[in-house]
Amino acid sequence: MSNDHPAIDLDAALSRLEGWEKTPAGAISRSFKFKDFTEAFAFMTRVALLAEKANHHPDWSNSYNRVTITLKTHDKNAVTQKDIDLATAISAL
Amino acid sequence: MSNDHPAIDLDAALSRLEGWEKTPAGAISRSFKFKDFTEAFAFMTRVALLAEKANHHPDWSNSYNRVTITLKTHDKNAVTQKDIDLATAISAL
Amino acid sequence: MSNDHPAIDLDAALSRLEGWEKTPAGAISRSFKFKDFTEAFAFMTRVALLAEKANHHPDWSNSYNRVTITLKTHDKNAVTQKDIDLATAISAL
Amino acid sequence: MSNDHPAIDLDAALSRLEGWEKTPAGAISRSFKFKDFTEAFAFMTRVALLAEKANHHPDWSNSYNRVTITLKTHDKNAVTQKDIDLATAISAL
C-alpha cells in the first residue's frame, strides 16, 4: 500500500468518532437529524464546502430533516485516513 | 379522496416527464448526471429552493456528479399532483 | 394604500428586531458575523430558502465571515410588513 | 515581494478576463445577471465551493437575479495571481 494511503486502525478511529458506524459494504456512515429541511440543507452546504475543499466527496442522502452520510475511498475500496478526516470535520460542524 | 389531492393519471403524467420512472415502492424517480460535484450541488441547491417554496421535499441522494431524486407524497403514500408539479419544475431547471 | 401592504409602525417593529437598523436609503439592515466562510455561507443558504419561500428577496453582501442583509419592498420604495416578517424569520435562524 | 505572490501584469490579465474591470479601490469586479433568484443563488453556491477550495474568498453582493463579485488579496492590498485564478474559474462556470 502506498504511503499516501497508509493502513488505518478503523476500530480505533471509530472509537473517536461518535455516531459513525461501519456499514456492511465496508464504508462508515452516520445519520443526522435536524429541526427542518432548511437546517438540514444548510448542514449539507457546509459538508459540500468541506468535501470540495478536501477533494473527497460523500455518498449521502436527505429526506426532509434527515441526512445520512456514507464515506469510503472508492479507488481503494476501503475506509482510509481521508474518510476519517472528513468524518471528523463533519462531526465538528 | 379529497379535492386537494385529486387522483392523477400517473402514466399520462409520466409520459410528459422525460426520464422519470415509477419505482417499486410506488414513487417516481429520476437520476441526473453532471460534469462534477460543484455542478451537481448547484443543481441540488436549485431543487432545494423549489422544494422549500412548494413545501414539498424530495428523497434524494448524491454521489459526486450524480443526483437521484425520488418523489412521493408520504401522507398519501402515493404520487400526487404535488409530485408531478415538483418533477416538472425540476426537469425545467 | 392597499390592504395587502398596510402601513406599518417601523419604529415599533424595529424595537422588537434586535440588531436591525434603519438605513439612510429607507431600508432596514443588519450585519451578522460568523466563525468562518462556511458558517456564513450556510447561514446565507438558510436565508435564501426563507426568501425564496416568501418570494421576497434581500439585498445582501458577504465578505468572508460577515454577511450584511438589507431589506426593503422595492415596488413600494418602503419597508413593509413583508420585510419585517423576513427580518424576524432571519433573526430566528 | 515574495515569490508566492509575484507581481502580475494586471492589464494583460484583464484583457483575457471578459467582463472584469478594475475598481477605484484597486480590486477587480464583475457583475452577472441571471433569470431569477434561484439561478443566481445556484451560481453563488458554485462560486462558494470554488472560493473555499482555493481558500480565497470574494467580496460579493446579490440582489434578486444580479450578483456582483469583487476580488482583491486583502493582505497584499492588491490584485494578485490568486484573484486572477479565481476570476478565471468563476468566468468558466
Side-chain angles (χ1 to χ4, degrees):
Chain A
M1 187 173 277
S2 69
N3 285 334
D4 58 328
H5 287 289
I8 62 167
D9 181 338
L10 184 52
D11 290 324
L14 283 177
S15 72
R16 290 185 295 270
L17 280 172
E18 197 182 320
W20 292 84
E21 295 178 357
K22 283 188 274 194
T23 74
I28 58 172
S29 182
R30 182 174 169 186
S31 289
F32 298 84
K33 193 174 178 183
F34 299 92
K35 195 183 61 177
D36 58 22
F37 177 74
T38 70
E39 209 177 85
F41 196 74
F43 169 76
M44 292 174 73
T45 299
R46 294 186 75 184
V47 173
L49 289 162
L50 281 176
E52 182 66 10
K53 192 170 192 173
N55 203 22
H56 191 62
H57 301 87
D59 296 321
W60 54 348
S61 62
N62 161 246
S63 181
Y64 192 57
N65 63 338
R66 262 168 287 186
V67 179
T68 300
I69 301 179
T70 303
L71 300 174
K72 188 183 192 173
T73 302
H74 290 283
D75 58 352
K76 298 286 164 183
N77 195 30
V79 175
T80 68
Q81 191 60 41
K82 280 185 173 185
D83 301 297
I84 300 301
D85 291 347
L86 186 53
T88 303
I90 290 169
S91 289
L93 287 179
Chain B
M1 189 174 277
S2 69
N3 284 335
D4 59 328
H5 286 289
I8 61 166
D9 182 339
L10 184 51
D11 289 324
L14 282 178
S15 72
R16 290 185 294 270
L17 278 171
E18 196 183 321
W20 292 84
E21 294 179 357
K22 283 188 274 195
T23 74
I28 58 173
S29 182
R30 181 173 170 187
S31 290
F32 298 84
K33 194 174 176 182
F34 299 92
K35 195 184 61 175
D36 57 22
F37 176 73
T38 69
E39 209 177 85
F41 196 73
F43 169 77
M44 292 175 72
T45 298
R46 295 185 74 184
V47 173
L49 290 162
L50 280 175
E52 182 65 13
K53 192 169 192 174
N55 203 23
H56 191 62
H57 301 86
D59 297 322
W60 55 348
S61 62
N62 161 246
S63 181
Y64 192 58
N65 63 338
R66 263 167 284 185
V67 178
T68 300
I69 300 180
T70 303
L71 300 174
K72 189 184 192 173
T73 302
H74 290 283
D75 59 351
K76 298 285 163 184
N77 195 29
V79 175
T80 69
Q81 191 59 43
K82 279 185 173 185
D83 301 298
I84 301 301
D85 291 347
L86 186 53
T88 303
I90 290 169
S91 288
L93 286 180
Chain C
M1 190 175 277
S2 71
N3 284 333
D4 58 330
H5 287 289
I8 62 167
D9 182 337
L10 183 52
D11 290 324
L14 283 178
S15 71
R16 290 184 295 271
L17 279 171
E18 196 183 320
W20 291 85
E21 294 179 358
K22 284 188 273 194
T23 73
I28 57 173
S29 182
R30 181 173 169 188
S31 289
F32 299 84
K33 194 173 175 182
F34 299 92
K35 195 183 62 178
D36 58 22
F37 177 74
T38 70
E39 208 177 87
F41 196 73
F43 168 76
M44 291 175 74
T45 299
R46 296 186 74 185
V47 172
L49 289 162
L50 281 175
E52 182 65 12
K53 192 170 193 173
N55 202 22
H56 191 62
H57 301 86
D59 297 320
W60 53 348
S61 61
N62 162 244
S63 180
Y64 193 58
N65 65 337
R66 264 167 285 185
V67 178
T68 300
I69 301 179
T70 302
L71 301 174
K72 187 182 191 174
T73 302
H74 289 284
D75 59 351
K76 298 285 164 185
N77 195 29
V79 175
T80 69
Q81 190 60 41
K82 280 185 171 184
D83 301 297
I84 300 302
D85 291 347
L86 185 53
T88 302
I90 290 169
S91 288
L93 288 180
Chain D
M1 191 175 272
S2 69
N3 283 334
D4 58 327
H5 287 289
I8 62 167
D9 181 338
L10 184 52
D11 289 323
L14 284 178
S15 71
R16 290 185 293 271
L17 279 171
E18 196 183 321
W20 292 84
E21 294 178 358
K22 284 188 273 191
T23 73
I28 58 172
S29 182
R30 182 175 168 186
S31 289
F32 298 85
K33 193 173 177 182
F34 299 93
K35 196 183 61 178
D36 57 22
F37 176 74
T38 71
E39 208 177 85
F41 196 73
F43 168 77
M44 291 174 73
T45 299
R46 295 186 75 186
V47 173
L49 290 162
L50 280 177
E52 182 65 11
K53 193 170 192 173
N55 203 24
H56 192 61
H57 301 86
D59 298 319
W60 53 349
S61 62
N62 162 245
S63 180
Y64 193 58
N65 64 338
R66 262 168 286 186
V67 178
T68 300
I69 301 179
T70 303
L71 301 174
K72 188 184 191 172
T73 302
H74 290 284
D75 58 352
K76 298 286 163 184
N77 195 30
V79 175
T80 69
Q81 191 60 41
K82 280 185 171 184
D83 301 297
I84 300 301
D85 291 347
L86 187 53
T88 303
I90 290 169
S91 288
L93 288 179

